[in-house]
Amino acid sequence: MTARGILSVLVPAVGGQGGGVLSEWLVEAALLDGHAVHGTSIPGVAQRTGSTTYYVEIAIGPADDGLEPAFSLYPVPGALDVLLAPEFLEVGRMIEQGFVSPNRTTVVCSTHRLYSIHEKIATGRAIYPREALERAARAASRTLVAFDALALARTHGTEVNAVLLGALAGVGALPLATDAYRKAIERKGVGVKANLAGFELGLAVAGDPAAGGRAPAAAAREPTPHPAFTGQIATLPETIRPIVALAVARLVDYQDAGYARRYLDRLRPFVPGPGAPPAAVDLARIVARHLATWMSYEDAVRVAQLKTRATRFDRIRAESRAGTGEIVVTDYLKPDLDEILGVLPHRLVAPVARWAARRWPHGRPTLGQHVRTTTITGFLRVWLLTRLRPLRPFSHRAHEEHARMERWLASVRRCAGRDLALAGEVARAAQLVKGYGDVRRRMALLFEDLLARVERVADLEAERGHGYAVAHGLAARYRALVLEGPDGEAQAQALAADVERRLATADAAEALAIIGGGG
């Protein structure tokens, strides 16, 4: 085979992305163009979670000795010619495994993301930065063609794999005729018209990736304040005005205008006056944002409100490209006992809620149900929950949530009297109050623990008169550990206990050292 070379193509995909069809198109295109070709695949675990690898080798040119080519079943690190990735993190995985070579590999990929289990499981934001992926891809590849193929496909009613096939043809990494790719799509016989349209889009984008596949950026503009609050919002500092305008509109939609006024009343003590230091302005922004999010907590009434909106069904219809009457939406609901009691009047159900907490301390009973909200009866079952909105201010859930909010705001005010930077970290602690059911109960307890421990540490530091560096560092580190996920929660509590113990018996420098080292 002295005159024959073998080119390798790796398609790392997640189940359900069409990687199998993409590899079949490649094999068919090579055969139509007169080349010997071989394709293999290693299937993943499940749809959208299991990584599936498709590998294709194409023998280019005739063999002088007349023998059949010897193909490999697996890619060889450092010897890959083309990486064709339907999702951006897959490029990072292949770089990490050593397949991509700056001397050899052409990378054609979509820059959209399907988040991994590790990114989803973290309590806080754990999405791998796109910029880091792009830097790694540029450094590790010989040629990089990267664009948002998903945005392009959705805009034009086609599929990502067809767009990527067109980009591969356009970049010329494989010596196959463009018509061979088109005929391969036709031979496959699945969605031929749409897939050919996607192929042509990718072919056009290949010469200028920056020109295609990106959704047009929305013009940045300040949100329009709710008419009833225009005057009040106009008196606020310019830096927090956009946040408050959005918050007020959200809270009016969530409950009513009176509820939005309650938000403004709570925010007023933190609004800085003229000439206030930057730390005071930052504190106001943090409180304005987290207070609005917390006050619009998602109880059963809010969930029902969101699930029965016409805009939701319009969005689902547009994403599925279905016509009127063609979509079927089934909502999987599993409220626990606390969520059911939460919509009822506090005075009526508080004794029951306390009994339930003692009876089931590690998880309340749940009521699982499947509701088809595109039927009249199913829609009405959910919609009737929205009629309980006027009762929300008197509900058990509102009583619990607002009592916790007041404790948080009081703690922020106390800390602001000591140190604005410390108050900012305590204000950010509201980020921990999130989730549903057992998760929310656990996060609320951690939040309460953070407030109590940080205030105790601040008291100890005040007695010594050397600032609040330890309390500030503990608040930031505790929050960061909890947001990493369940494993970080026990670490956060252990770290806080260690800091308190050391601060009570030793110098603050030692306590700061263990905070910096993560315990």
Side-chain angles (χ1 to χ4, degrees):
M1 298 200 308
T2 55
R4 172 176 286 181
I6 292 181
L7 297 178
S8 54
V9 183
L10 180 63
V11 182
V14 176
Q17 285 186 314
V21 173
L22 181 54
S23 67
E24 290 173 7
W25 282 337
L26 281 172
V27 170
E28 187 67 27
L31 290 173
L32 288 169
D33 211 41
H35 305 288
V37 61
H38 184 265
T40 58
S41 67
I42 303 174
V45 179
Q47 292 285 76
R48 298 289 174 183
T49 57
S51 180
T52 304
T53 299
Y54 302 93
Y55 182 60
V56 176
E57 287 194 344
I58 304 171
I60 303 299
D64 288 348
D65 52 17
L67 298 177
E68 291 294 321
F71 292 114
S72 172
L73 298 178
Y74 304 100
V76 177
L80 184 67
D81 295 297
V82 176
L83 177 67
L84 193 56
E87 195 268 345
F88 211 16
L89 192 62
E90 294 298 329
V91 178
R93 289 188 179 126
M94 296 304 103
I95 292 172
E96 185 179 37
Q97 294 176 30
F99 291 114
V100 182
S101 167
N103 299 319
R104 181 168 181 171
T105 310
T106 296
V107 176
V108 179
C109 63
S110 177
T111 55
H112 78 276
R113 289 296 324 282
L114 294 178
Y115 301 127
S116 67
I117 295 299
H118 295 292
E119 290 173 304
K120 292 177 181 178
I121 201 172
T123 311
R125 183 178 175 85
I127 298 172
Y128 195 83
R130 180 185 179 281
E131 296 76 13
L133 284 171
E134 188 164 352
R135 285 195 301 270
R138 291 195 181 282
S141 61
R142 185 183 69 176
T143 303
L144 175 65
V145 178
F147 61 101
D148 192 341
L150 180 62
L152 198 63
R154 283 180 173 173
T155 301
H156 296 275
T158 182
E159 300 297 335
V160 170
N161 54 0
V163 176
L164 289 176
L165 186 72
L168 175 63
V171 80
L174 298 177
L176 305 181
T178 303
D179 280 343
Y181 292 105
R182 293 190 182 100
K183 289 177 182 177
I185 293 174
E186 292 170 353
R187 286 276 188 95
K188 184 68 178 173
V190 177
V192 173
K193 184 177 179 181
N195 286 326
L196 283 174
F199 177 82
E200 298 301 332
L201 287 169
L203 193 65
V205 167
D208 183 13
R214 296 190 185 276
R221 62 181 182 89
E222 187 171 314
T224 303
H226 190 278
F229 299 92
T230 303
Q232 287 177 270
I233 294 173
T235 64
L236 297 173
E238 188 176 353
T239 53
I240 68 170
R241 202 178 297 152
I243 298 173
V244 176
L246 285 171
V248 165
R250 177 173 179 168
L251 294 172
V252 170
D253 175 69
Y254 179 82
Q255 187 63 36
D256 53 31
Y259 196 63
R261 289 190 191 94
R262 188 178 184 185
Y263 164 78
L264 291 172
D265 290 341
R266 283 172 160 170
L267 180 62
R268 189 170 293 113
F270 301 96
V271 176
V281 178
D282 288 343
L283 177 61
R285 287 173 56 84
I286 296 166
V287 173
R289 176 189 172 196
H290 288 299
L291 179 60
T293 302
W294 197 344
M295 287 184 68
S296 54
Y297 60 87
E298 291 191 354
D299 59 1
V301 177
R302 181 62 168 174
V303 171
Q305 184 184 23
L306 297 174
K307 286 187 177 296
T308 55
R309 283 186 166 164
T311 52
R312 180 196 182 214
F313 297 104
D314 291 341
R315 175 179 54 80
I316 293 172
R317 189 176 294 108
E319 290 179 354
S320 61
R321 299 195 286 273
T324 303
E326 293 181 357
I327 62 167
V328 175
V329 178
T330 301
D331 285 298
Y332 296 82
L333 308 174
K334 197 176 181 181
D336 67 10
L337 184 58
D338 279 0
E339 291 172 293
I340 296 170
L341 295 176
V343 300
L344 300 176
H346 171 68
R347 290 187 177 182
L348 179 65
V349 302
V352 180
R354 288 193 293 269
W355 170 82
R358 294 192 300 270
R359 174 66 178 81
W360 295 287
H362 303 297
R364 315 290 191 263
T366 59
L367 180 63
Q369 50 191 304
H370 299 169
V371 182
R372 187 167 290 182
T373 44
T374 43
T375 64
I376 294 175
T377 55
F379 181 87
L380 285 175
R381 280 178 63 188
V382 180
W383 178 82
L384 286 173
L385 268 177
T386 67
R387 302 299 93 189
L388 297 178
R389 185 164 67 162
L391 301 179
R392 181 188 275 140
F394 313 104
S395 69
H396 178 64
R397 175 73 182 275
H399 180 272
E400 297 292 313
E401 293 289 351
H402 288 284
R404 190 170 288 118
M405 285 181 221
E406 291 296 343
R407 289 196 293 274
W408 167 63
L409 291 170
S411 181
V412 175
R413 284 194 296 270
R414 285 193 295 272
C415 290
R418 290 173 160 176
D419 181 78
L420 287 172
L422 172 61
E425 282 301 333
V426 172
R428 289 187 182 94
Q431 188 181 6
L432 300 186
V433 186
K434 59 173 65 183
Y436 301 90
D438 289 337
V439 172
R440 192 174 186 91
R441 285 189 289 271
R442 191 178 76 243
M443 297 300 289
L445 290 174
L446 289 163
F447 167 77
E448 299 273 12
D449 184 59
L450 184 154
L451 294 186
R453 290 183 183 275
V454 168
E455 289 210 47
R456 286 199 297 268
V457 168
D459 288 341
L460 288 171
E461 289 190 285
E463 291 174 7
R464 288 161 172 74
H466 51 49
Y468 298 96
V470 177
H472 179 278
L474 176 61
R477 183 60 181 159
Y478 193 114
R479 179 172 56 88
L481 283 170
V482 171
L483 292 176
E484 287 177 4
D487 292 341
E489 295 169 12
Q491 294 178 38
Q493 292 178 300
L495 173 65
D498 197 13
V499 166
E500 282 190 76
R501 184 171 58 253
R502 294 186 187 226
L503 188 61
T505 59
D507 187 79
E510 187 175 342
L512 276 174
I514 64 170
I515 292 171

PDB file of all heavy atoms in Angstrom, residues 97-113:
ATOM      1  N   GLN A  97      -7.730  13.599  25.899  1.00  0.00           N
ATOM      2  CA  GLN A  97      -7.319  12.222  25.643  1.00  0.00           C
ATOM      3  C   GLN A  97      -6.174  12.121  24.631  1.00  0.00           C
ATOM      4  O   GLN A  97      -5.726  11.022  24.308  1.00  0.00           O
ATOM      5  CB  GLN A  97      -8.521  11.411  25.161  1.00  0.00           C
ATOM      6  CG  GLN A  97      -9.594  11.242  26.230  1.00  0.00           C
ATOM      7  CD  GLN A  97     -10.821  10.522  25.723  1.00  0.00           C
ATOM      8  OE1 GLN A  97     -10.733   9.688  24.817  1.00  0.00           O
ATOM      9  NE2 GLN A  97     -11.968  10.829  26.295  1.00  0.00           N
ATOM     10  N   GLY A  98      -5.721  13.276  24.109  1.00  0.00           N
ATOM     11  CA  GLY A  98      -4.534  13.283  23.260  1.00  0.00           C
ATOM     12  C   GLY A  98      -4.767  13.006  21.793  1.00  0.00           C
ATOM     13  O   GLY A  98      -3.805  12.839  21.034  1.00  0.00           O
ATOM     14  N   PHE A  99      -6.030  12.958  21.345  1.00  0.00           N
ATOM     15  CA  PHE A  99      -6.284  12.628  19.944  1.00  0.00           C
ATOM     16  C   PHE A  99      -5.966  13.785  19.001  1.00  0.00           C
ATOM     17  O   PHE A  99      -5.592  13.577  17.853  1.00  0.00           O
ATOM     18  CB  PHE A  99      -7.744  12.204  19.756  1.00  0.00           C
ATOM     19  CG  PHE A  99      -8.071  10.888  20.382  1.00  0.00           C
ATOM     20  CD1 PHE A  99      -8.952  10.806  21.443  1.00  0.00           C
ATOM     21  CD2 PHE A  99      -7.487   9.722  19.920  1.00  0.00           C
ATOM     22  CE1 PHE A  99      -9.251   9.591  22.028  1.00  0.00           C
ATOM     23  CE2 PHE A  99      -7.771   8.493  20.494  1.00  0.00           C
ATOM     24  CZ  PHE A  99      -8.661   8.429  21.562  1.00  0.00           C
ATOM     25  N   VAL A 100      -6.133  15.007  19.469  1.00  0.00           N
ATOM     26  CA  VAL A 100      -5.975  16.172  18.606  1.00  0.00           C
ATOM     27  C   VAL A 100      -4.519  16.608  18.561  1.00  0.00           C
ATOM     28  O   VAL A 100      -3.870  16.749  19.599  1.00  0.00           O
ATOM     29  CB  VAL A 100      -6.868  17.332  19.102  1.00  0.00           C
ATOM     30  CG1 VAL A 100      -6.746  18.539  18.188  1.00  0.00           C
ATOM     31  CG2 VAL A 100      -8.328  16.870  19.182  1.00  0.00           C
ATOM     32  N   SER A 101      -4.009  16.844  17.357  1.00  0.00           N
ATOM     33  CA  SER A 101      -2.609  17.228  17.174  1.00  0.00           C
ATOM     34  C   SER A 101      -2.516  18.545  16.407  1.00  0.00           C
ATOM     35  O   SER A 101      -3.157  18.700  15.354  1.00  0.00           O
ATOM     36  CB  SER A 101      -1.858  16.143  16.394  1.00  0.00           C
ATOM     37  OG  SER A 101      -0.613  16.622  15.950  1.00  0.00           O
ATOM     38  N   PRO A 102      -1.734  19.503  16.903  1.00  0.00           N
ATOM     39  CA  PRO A 102      -1.595  20.786  16.186  1.00  0.00           C
ATOM     40  C   PRO A 102      -0.891  20.645  14.842  1.00  0.00           C
ATOM     41  O   PRO A 102      -0.967  21.539  14.006  1.00  0.00           O
ATOM     42  CB  PRO A 102      -0.784  21.645  17.157  1.00  0.00           C
ATOM     43  CG  PRO A 102      -0.089  20.680  18.042  1.00  0.00           C
ATOM     44  CD  PRO A 102      -0.981  19.489  18.165  1.00  0.00           C
ATOM     45  N   ASN A 103      -0.209  19.544  14.628  1.00  0.00           N
ATOM     46  CA  ASN A 103       0.497  19.324  13.361  1.00  0.00           C
ATOM     47  C   ASN A 103      -0.365  18.611  12.315  1.00  0.00           C
ATOM     48  O   ASN A 103       0.026  18.536  11.153  1.00  0.00           O
ATOM     49  CB  ASN A 103       1.765  18.493  13.605  1.00  0.00           C
ATOM     50  CG  ASN A 103       2.730  19.193  14.531  1.00  0.00           C
ATOM     51  OD1 ASN A 103       2.919  20.401  14.432  1.00  0.00           O
ATOM     52  ND2 ASN A 103       3.332  18.440  15.441  1.00  0.00           N
ATOM     53  N   ARG A 104      -1.531  18.108  12.755  1.00  0.00           N
ATOM     54  CA  ARG A 104      -2.255  17.227  11.839  1.00  0.00           C
ATOM     55  C   ARG A 104      -3.777  17.413  11.814  1.00  0.00           C
ATOM     56  O   ARG A 104      -4.392  17.298  10.751  1.00  0.00           O
ATOM     57  CB  ARG A 104      -1.936  15.779  12.227  1.00  0.00           C
ATOM     58  CG  ARG A 104      -2.595  14.734  11.343  1.00  0.00           C
ATOM     59  CD  ARG A 104      -1.996  13.379  11.600  1.00  0.00           C
ATOM     60  NE  ARG A 104      -2.580  12.349  10.770  1.00  0.00           N
ATOM     61  CZ  ARG A 104      -2.120  11.102  10.668  1.00  0.00           C
ATOM     62  NH1 ARG A 104      -1.041  10.764  11.359  1.00  0.00           N
ATOM     63  NH2 ARG A 104      -2.711  10.224   9.902  1.00  0.00           N
ATOM     64  N   THR A 105      -4.385  17.719  12.942  1.00  0.00           N
ATOM     65  CA  THR A 105      -5.837  17.581  13.084  1.00  0.00           C
ATOM     66  C   THR A 105      -6.607  18.841  12.694  1.00  0.00           C
ATOM     67  O   THR A 105      -6.308  19.935  13.174  1.00  0.00           O
ATOM     68  CB  THR A 105      -6.204  17.212  14.536  1.00  0.00           C
ATOM     69  OG1 THR A 105      -5.411  16.104  14.962  1.00  0.00           O
ATOM     70  CG2 THR A 105      -7.686  16.871  14.638  1.00  0.00           C
ATOM     71  N   THR A 106      -7.588  18.646  11.830  1.00  0.00           N
ATOM     72  CA  THR A 106      -8.571  19.692  11.533  1.00  0.00           C
ATOM     73  C   THR A 106      -9.787  19.452  12.415  1.00  0.00           C
ATOM     74  O   THR A 106     -10.337  18.343  12.429  1.00  0.00           O
ATOM     75  CB  THR A 106      -8.992  19.647  10.056  1.00  0.00           C
ATOM     76  OG1 THR A 106      -7.871  19.948   9.231  1.00  0.00           O
ATOM     77  CG2 THR A 106     -10.105  20.647   9.775  1.00  0.00           C
ATOM     78  N   VAL A 107     -10.183  20.476  13.149  1.00  0.00           N
ATOM     79  CA  VAL A 107     -11.337  20.357  14.048  1.00  0.00           C
ATOM     80  C   VAL A 107     -12.499  21.153  13.460  1.00  0.00           C
ATOM     81  O   VAL A 107     -12.382  22.357  13.214  1.00  0.00           O
ATOM     82  CB  VAL A 107     -11.007  20.880  15.462  1.00  0.00           C
ATOM     83  CG1 VAL A 107     -12.253  20.840  16.347  1.00  0.00           C
ATOM     84  CG2 VAL A 107      -9.883  20.051  16.084  1.00  0.00           C
ATOM     85  N   VAL A 108     -13.602  20.474  13.209  1.00  0.00           N
ATOM     86  CA  VAL A 108     -14.846  21.113  12.778  1.00  0.00           C
ATOM     87  C   VAL A 108     -15.869  20.830  13.870  1.00  0.00           C
ATOM     88  O   VAL A 108     -16.147  19.663  14.175  1.00  0.00           O
ATOM     89  CB  VAL A 108     -15.337  20.552  11.432  1.00  0.00           C
ATOM     90  CG1 VAL A 108     -16.650  21.207  11.022  1.00  0.00           C
ATOM     91  CG2 VAL A 108     -14.274  20.747  10.352  1.00  0.00           C
ATOM     92  N   CYS A 109     -16.420  21.883  14.477  1.00  0.00           N
ATOM     93  CA  CYS A 109     -17.265  21.646  15.648  1.00  0.00           C
ATOM     94  C   CYS A 109     -18.333  22.717  15.796  1.00  0.00           C
ATOM     95  O   CYS A 109     -18.221  23.823  15.261  1.00  0.00           O
ATOM     96  CB  CYS A 109     -16.421  21.592  16.914  1.00  0.00           C
ATOM     97  SG  CYS A 109     -15.570  23.137  17.283  1.00  0.00           S
ATOM     98  N   SER A 110     -19.364  22.343  16.534  1.00  0.00           N
ATOM     99  CA  SER A 110     -20.386  23.314  16.937  1.00  0.00           C
ATOM    100  C   SER A 110     -20.021  23.839  18.314  1.00  0.00           C
ATOM    101  O   SER A 110     -19.566  23.084  19.184  1.00  0.00           O
ATOM    102  CB  SER A 110     -21.766  22.661  16.976  1.00  0.00           C
ATOM    103  OG  SER A 110     -22.731  23.597  17.435  1.00  0.00           O
ATOM    104  N   THR A 111     -20.234  25.129  18.532  1.00  0.00           N
ATOM    105  CA  THR A 111     -19.849  25.734  19.807  1.00  0.00           C
ATOM    106  C   THR A 111     -20.980  25.726  20.831  1.00  0.00           C
ATOM    107  O   THR A 111     -20.807  26.237  21.935  1.00  0.00           O
ATOM    108  CB  THR A 111     -19.399  27.189  19.595  1.00  0.00           C
ATOM    109  OG1 THR A 111     -20.443  27.912  18.928  1.00  0.00           O
ATOM    110  CG2 THR A 111     -18.133  27.239  18.758  1.00  0.00           C
ATOM    111  N   HIS A 112     -22.140  25.166  20.498  1.00  0.00           N
ATOM    112  CA  HIS A 112     -23.209  25.117  21.503  1.00  0.00           C
ATOM    113  C   HIS A 112     -22.874  24.047  22.534  1.00  0.00           C
ATOM    114  O   HIS A 112     -22.006  23.200  22.316  1.00  0.00           O
ATOM    115  CB  HIS A 112     -24.562  24.843  20.845  1.00  0.00           C
ATOM    116  CG  HIS A 112     -24.776  23.406  20.470  1.00  0.00           C
ATOM    117  ND1 HIS A 112     -24.316  22.855  19.286  1.00  0.00           N
ATOM    118  CD2 HIS A 112     -25.397  22.392  21.131  1.00  0.00           C
ATOM    119  CE1 HIS A 112     -24.652  21.584  19.230  1.00  0.00           C
ATOM    120  NE2 HIS A 112     -25.298  21.266  20.338  1.00  0.00           N
ATOM    121  N   ARG A 113     -23.545  24.088  23.670  1.00  0.00           N
ATOM    122  CA  ARG A 113     -23.232  23.180  24.769  1.00  0.00           C
ATOM    123  C   ARG A 113     -24.439  22.355  25.176  1.00  0.00           C
ATOM    124  O   ARG A 113     -25.555  22.850  25.269  1.00  0.00           O
ATOM    125  CB  ARG A 113     -22.755  23.970  25.993  1.00  0.00           C
ATOM    126  CG  ARG A 113     -21.378  24.601  25.872  1.00  0.00           C
ATOM    127  CD  ARG A 113     -20.274  23.551  25.738  1.00  0.00           C
ATOM    128  NE  ARG A 113     -20.573  22.381  26.529  1.00  0.00           N
ATOM    129  CZ  ARG A 113     -20.410  22.306  27.870  1.00  0.00           C
ATOM    130  NH1 ARG A 113     -19.926  23.333  28.534  1.00  0.00           N
ATOM    131  NH2 ARG A 113     -20.703  21.215  28.518  1.00  0.00           N
TER     132      ARG A 113
END
